[in-house]
């Protein structure tokens, strides 16, 4: 994907990139320590490399063979642990890590630009979330309450990017710490 050089346009276009080699693997394990404690651990590795990709500029043609495809982190790690106090009553914690990745096909400065290389990298980050739930039966009505604190550590990070964005507008910041409470009601006709 790419954007055209027009300040008033948010349109995204696509072009073929010659060829790329995409390799990777994923591993996930679920484990119950005891009936009340459940855990999940996940790791994903992905390596997407251009094998042949010629980009024509105003005065030059660049061969991007060997560059990584932008917008794809090489490493994702995640895990969560949930403790069930009783059926319908639980607390949990989850953590996720995402490695840094490039924001453009050049993996840095396009020809003719002299900005620092960090302007083209989405930094790695870690997030931690807390959750808790409670089910309360009230006769024929079941009340479920779910509470979440997302990004407990109030990490500053970009949740995603716009690859090859015009005007270096690559980064889409994620929200800071946030709180959510949801209540659901279920009526059973007996």
């Amino acid at each position: 994907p790419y954007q055209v050089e027009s300040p008033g346009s948010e349109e995204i276009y696509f072009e073929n990139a010659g060829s790329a080699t995409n390799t990777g693997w994923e591993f996930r394990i679920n484990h119950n320590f005891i009936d009340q404690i459940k855990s999940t651990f996940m790791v994903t590795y992905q390596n997407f490399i251009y094998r042949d990709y010629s980009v024509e500029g105003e005065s030059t043609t660049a061969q991007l063979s060997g560059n990584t495809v932008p917008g794809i982190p090489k490493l994702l790690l995640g895990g969560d642990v949930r403790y069930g106090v009783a059926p319908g009553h639980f607390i949990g914690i989850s953590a996720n890590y995402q490695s840094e990745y490039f924001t453009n096909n050049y993996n840095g400065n396009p020809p003719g630009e002299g900005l620092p290389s960090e302007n083209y990298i989405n930094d790695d980050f870690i997030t931690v979330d807390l959750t808790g739930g409670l089910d309360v039966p009230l006769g024929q009505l079941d009340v479920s309450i779910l509470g979440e604190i997302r990004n407990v550590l109030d990490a500053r990070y970009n949740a995603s990017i716009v690859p090859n964005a015009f005007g270096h507008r690559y980064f889409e910041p994620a929200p800071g710490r946030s709180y959510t409470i949801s209540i659901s009601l279920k009526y059973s006709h007996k």
Side-chain angles (χ1 to χ4, degrees):
Y2 68 96
Q3 289 182 312
V4 295
E5 295 186 20
S6 172
S9 173
E10 292 293 325
E11 293 180 87
I12 295 177
Y13 299 90
F14 294 87
E15 68 180 344
N16 290 330
S19 63
T21 300
N22 302 332
T23 58
W25 50 266
E26 185 170 82
F27 176 77
R28 179 184 179 111
I29 186 168
N30 297 321
H31 182 70
N32 296 347
F33 294 99
I34 56 175
D35 287 341
Q36 293 89 1
I37 300 178
K38 300 178 185 211
S39 67
T40 301
F41 175 75
M42 174 278 297
V43 59
T44 300
Y45 173 80
Q46 45 200 6
N47 192 22
F48 295 7
I49 304 290
Y50 291 125
R51 285 191 325 178
D52 178 26
Y53 184 20
S54 294
V55 177
E56 292 185 25
E58 291 180 22
S59 59
T60 61
T61 298
Q63 175 54 254
L64 303 182
S65 176
N67 284 7
T68 61
V69 177
I72 302 171
K74 281 193 176 185
L75 186 61
L76 300 167
L77 298 172
D80 65 69
V81 177
R82 183 177 281 207
Y83 175 67
V85 181
H89 298 57
F90 72 90
I91 56 172
I93 185 170
S94 63
N96 292 288
Y97 168 79
Q98 181 176 292
S99 65
E100 69 182 19
Y101 57 87
F102 288 104
T103 60
N104 68 6
N105 291 331
Y106 293 96
N107 293 175
N109 276 311
E113 294 189 17
L115 297 173
S117 60
E118 59 265 13
N119 286 21
Y120 305 98
I121 296 173
N122 190 34
D123 292 329
D124 61 341
F125 62 85
I126 295 173
T127 59
V128 177
D129 302 329
L130 297 175
T131 59
L134 178 65
D135 286 343
V136 180
L138 299 171
Q140 293 177 297
L141 189 65
D142 288 328
V143 179
S144 295
I145 303 169
L146 177 67
E148 295 178 291
I149 304 174
R150 295 186 182 179
N151 193 6
V152 171
L153 304 176
D154 202 23
R156 300 289 182 222
Y157 67 100
N158 299 302
S160 62
I161 63 141
V162 176
N164 303 304
F166 168 72
H168 306 285
R169 298 178 298 176
Y170 306 112
F171 305 105
E172 297 181 332
R177 185 182 304 119
S178 63
Y179 306 87
T180 304
I181 295 178
S182 59
I183 300 172
S184 62
L185 306 172
K186 182 179 177 183
Y187 177 77
S188 301
H189 183 4
K190 295 179 184 177

